[in-house]
Amino acid sequence: MTRLTAQDFDQELLVLFDAYVHGDLDRRGFLSKAGKYAKAGVTAAGLLAALSPDFALGEQVRADDTRLRAQQLSVPSPAGHGSIDGYLVRPASASPSAKLPAVLVIHENRGLNPHIREIARRLALDGFMAFAPDALTPVGGYPGDEDKARAAFATLEQPKTLQDFLASAQWLESRADCTGKLGAVGFCWGGGMVHTLATRLPELDAGVPFYGNSPAPELASRVKAPLLVHLAGVDERINAAWPTYEAALKSAGAKYAVHQYAGTQHGFNNDTTPRYDAAAAKLAWERTVAFFDATLRSA
């Protein structure tokens, strides 16, 4: 079966889907507005299903890959929700006592779903210790359903969630099997969290936000870690705020690089949906790994 791509959908429908995914439009509203794009026997519900994640499409590294050692862990978060669960992955080739540079992997607004777990496994195969926390821990964890996950995510106390990720980063960096070098990569909501952590964590050594919301410009002066910013080409919701924040980063003398991938949609790195752009995702990921190699493996 031929895999669907963004080019198979009207751009206005993709904008509607983005609004639905990010809570600006409920399911009924999406289906109502998407009806005008239903044709050739495809219903609005069918369009929603076609645009939604199919995790089997994106499994490049299986959960049972023998090259990896993975475990579920709980991290104390006294200033947050008390604790946060997460998925820790290390390369099996590294001895348990071997020190590795660490990368915090931060999910979208649906919690720790199979795609983000798979991203952590990819990083571990590249020789990093990857830890992916689940912000949905206080409401029972990722429920296995994207719509339920999105609804649960909207109930979180975001100040406490921020504290959960700060605790996760500090716990990861202080582990005995970490070199003390800490990076963070995040996608969508997680990209915004990477930006936020860069304003809050002096110990952060590198940040890679994929199409994430920018912090308030006045916070840019707090950024000490180098950033590698990935933006989609067609993503007005995120891109509108970037020039102002970029100007603030420049003014603050922050180290950053930004890449915008022409013609791509928000979520272009997520290979479980039609918005995935294989060429852009490959280039962005190669740049990400090279960036972490340069920033986290240096003396």
Side-chain angles (χ1 to χ4, degrees):
M1 184 176 66
T2 302
R3 179 171 178 155
L4 294 173
T5 70
Q7 285 68 44
D8 294 309
F9 300 90
D10 188 284
Q11 181 59 43
E12 291 184 8
L13 179 63
L14 293 172
V15 172
L16 286 176
F17 181 70
D18 188 73
Y20 168 70
V21 167
H22 295 97
D24 298 323
L25 192 65
D26 63 15
R27 181 183 179 89
R28 178 177 295 181
F30 174 86
L31 294 176
S32 175
K33 292 178 181 293
K36 64 184 289 188
Y37 303 104
K39 55 186 177 182
V42 179
T43 64
L47 289 172
L48 178 57
L51 286 165
S52 297
D54 179 347
F55 294 119
L57 290 175
E59 192 176 50
Q60 298 180 30
V61 185
R62 290 171 55 91
D64 60 358
D65 194 308
T66 57
R67 296 171 295 172
L68 301 171
R69 290 194 181 95
Q71 60 187 130
Q72 291 291 129
L73 294 170
S74 183
V75 175
S77 178
H81 289 99
S83 66
I84 181 168
D85 297 337
Y87 181 62
L88 183 76
V89 195
R90 288 170 53 93
S93 59
S95 70
S97 61
K99 292 180 180 289
L100 298 175
V103 179
L104 190 72
V105 183
I106 310 178
H107 55 65
E108 310 102 326
N109 67 331
R110 274 97 68 200
L112 184 54
N113 64 22
H115 170 63
I116 298 300
R117 289 175 174 269
E118 207 267 345
I119 291 288
R121 294 196 291 273
R122 293 183 204 176
L123 282 163
L125 284 184
D126 283 314
F128 299 98
M129 175 167 56
F131 182 62
D134 187 357
L136 292 181
T137 299
V139 290
Y142 176 72
D145 177 285
E146 292 286 282
D147 285 341
K148 291 179 181 177
R150 190 179 302 111
F153 195 87
T155 69
L156 295 176
E157 296 180 60
Q158 288 297 324
K160 287 188 176 182
T161 298
L162 170 59
Q163 292 298 325
D164 290 340
F165 278 87
L166 288 168
S168 295
Q170 291 162 340
W171 168 85
L172 183 59
E173 187 266 342
S174 65
R175 283 178 58 93
D177 55 358
C178 177
T179 61
K181 292 286 188 175
L182 174 67
V185 61
F187 308 87
C188 188
W189 179 87
M193 179 58 73
V194 171
H195 274 304
T196 297
L197 292 180
T199 70
R200 298 286 298 268
L201 276 178
E203 57 265 52
L204 187 69
D205 295 293
V208 183
F210 277 77
Y211 30 80
N213 280 315
S214 304
E218 58 268 23
L219 298 178
S221 62
R222 300 181 184 177
V223 175
K224 305 306 177 187
L227 300 176
L228 176 64
V229 180
H230 298 299
L231 297 174
V234 185
D235 191 5
E236 183 62 19
R237 182 178 58 84
I238 294 297
N239 294 349
W242 171 250
T244 300
Y245 192 63
E246 181 177 25
L249 287 173
K250 284 182 178 178
S251 179
K255 295 180 181 178
Y256 76 95
V258 59
H259 299 285
Q260 189 167 12
Y261 300 83
T264 62
Q265 304 289 323
H266 183 91
F268 71 80
N269 188 71
N270 188 331
D271 50 4
T272 71
T273 82
R275 296 190 293 178
Y276 172 61
D277 186 294
K282 181 177 184 293
L283 179 56
W285 194 248
E286 288 173 348
R287 285 169 167 165
T288 296
V289 173
F291 179 70
F292 282 146
D293 281 338
T295 54
L296 304 184
R297 299 193 195 279
S298 59

